[in-house]
Amino acid sequence: MENLPEGFYAGDLYCFRYGSADEEAFAYIPGTPAVELRDGDVTASLMISPLAAVLSIQAVWSATPEAVEAAEQEIRKRYPDAPDVTLSIAELSDTTASLTVTGGNGVSHTFGPNPTSGSGSYRVVFSETLTSAEKAAALNALRGQSGCLSLTFEGTLELTETATIEMSGELADEVKLLAPKKPEKSGGLFSRKKDPAPPPPPDLAACAAGIDRALATGKLKMARAGTPNVSGAALRKVETILLNSAAEMLRDKIVEMGENATYMSSFAIKKKASESEDVTFRITRSADPGNWFAQHGSGRLITDAGVAIPEPKR
């Protein structure tokens, strides 16, 4: 299962909304990494010698303008009421890239992970000395064979999510139900007995039960809202805060009114609470450069070093 925020694919890009619902801001996670093209030139080369070789690859994890435009059109279809759709590349931290070479003997060696240049393109450069077996694999990859090279990019996406709940309703019935009842006077006309003390107001537990009754009967309602990736735990935390607050408000009103609370005709409440949390996603994307080289041609990227390159020990 992919570790991704709530969102959708638009072609090769994964789009998601962030911030509050009023902002309607969107970002995308780039799709497949690729060897970079500079002014139409492939930024890769393989310098070979009788044994070893040096492989240089400049790769990026980004999106073409055409892919971004297509994603914006998809967002407008899904969110027709959004005012101005702004789509930007996701701000990832700790971004790294690795290059894996797999020889014909099935043995793999990974270079990296190397840090990338940051957001916008997440560019990385590899310039690595290969063994003879790895050289053969690189030659095959540059000729368009798959399964010889693998590029893997990783990054951390951190989002601040918010849970918001608004509670509103009428609690007059609960005030009257829980109000302390005026005690009856004891004794006759000439009795010297003191009148009994009035009963104490209800405790918080009784008031909390009253809030639960009001919610069950629909006299009190809670409207829940949150950003797309807010957790259930954050929503439950806000709900608990509001329930406790409502119970305290109910108790305070009964204490304030005393015996007169039984005559309460209206006690409307409206209260909102929010809680923020940080949510982290670890994003990984991989690509086979052999497939990419097959589409862009690469024979001219192979040159002879003219000298012996020492073979590295693995």
Side-chain angles (χ1 to χ4, degrees), residues 2-314:
E2 290 185 294
N3 183 23
L4 294 170
E6 182 71 25
F8 56 91
Y9 277 101
D12 198 30
L13 308 186
Y14 188 82
C15 303
F16 61 93
R17 185 170 62 81
Y18 64 93
S20 67
D22 297 332
E23 292 175 342
E24 294 293 3
F26 295 86
Y28 67 87
I29 296 169
T32 306
V35 179
E36 188 171 23
L37 283 172
R38 279 273 178 89
D39 298 325
D41 294 329
V42 179
T43 57
S45 66
L46 181 66
M47 187 180 297
I48 61 174
S49 74
L51 288 178
V54 174
L55 175 63
S56 297
I57 288 180
Q58 183 165 297
V60 290
W61 187 22
S62 59
T64 64
E66 294 77 15
V68 174
E69 183 179 352
E72 289 176 342
Q73 292 177 359
E74 178 63 24
I75 292 172
R76 292 188 185 97
K77 291 179 183 177
R78 291 172 177 259
Y79 298 86
D81 297 329
D84 295 318
V85 174
T86 59
L87 181 62
S88 57
I89 191 168
E91 293 284 346
L92 305 178
S93 61
D94 304 323
T95 51
T96 61
S98 301
L99 175 66
T100 300
V101 185
T102 303
N105 56 4
V107 177
S108 296
H109 181 75
T110 298
F111 300 98
N114 295 346
T116 73
S117 62
S119 62
S121 61
Y122 299 111
R123 182 177 289 104
V124 69
V125 176
F126 293 97
S127 184
E128 312 295 346
T129 302
L130 310 180
T131 64
S132 56
E134 293 162 359
K135 177 185 72 173
L139 280 167
N140 289 334
L142 265 67
R143 291 166 181 156
Q145 184 174 321
S146 61
C148 302
L149 295 180
S150 177
L151 274 171
T152 299
F153 281 71
E154 291 185 281
T156 299
L157 175 64
E158 296 178 345
L159 299 175
T160 298
E161 302 291 321
T162 304
T164 302
I165 301 179
E166 184 174 64
M167 174 185 285
S168 61
E170 176 59 61
L171 291 178
D173 288 348
E174 292 302 324
V175 172
K176 290 187 285 188
L177 179 65
L178 295 170
K181 304 300 185 288
K182 187 174 183 179
E184 296 181 1
K185 292 184 178 181
S186 60
L189 179 63
F190 301 103
S191 173
R192 295 183 178 180
K193 291 184 179 180
K194 294 182 179 180
D195 290 338
D203 58 18
L204 271 178
C207 291
I211 297 300
D212 288 341
R213 285 192 298 270
L215 286 168
T217 58
K219 294 176 182 177
L220 190 62
K221 298 182 183 297
M222 286 200 293
R224 296 168 177 81
T227 49
N229 301 287
V230 71
S231 68
L235 284 167
R236 289 191 294 272
K237 183 177 180 179
V238 177
E239 182 177 306
T240 300
I241 291 172
L242 280 177
L243 289 173
N244 292 338
S245 177
E248 291 175 358
M249 292 172 67
L250 179 59
R251 183 195 60 181
D252 292 346
K253 176 56 69 174
I254 294 171
V255 170
E256 175 191 340
M257 300 296 294
E259 297 172 0
N260 293 328
T262 56
Y263 307 110
M264 178 72 68
S265 60
S266 177
F267 180 39
I269 69 167
K270 187 174 184 179
K271 194 172 183 63
K272 181 187 286 189
S274 297
E275 182 76 17
S276 294
E277 64 176 355
D278 293 328
V279 182
T280 301
F281 303 89
R282 189 63 181 169
I283 312 297
T284 301
R285 291 288 186 270
S286 296
D288 187 329
N291 295 329
W292 189 91
F293 286 128
Q295 300 173 18
H296 294 83
S298 56
R300 58 190 175 82
L301 303 178
I302 303 169
T303 60
D304 195 317
V307 295
I309 300 174
E311 189 170 18
K313 294 180 180 180
R314 300 284 188 236

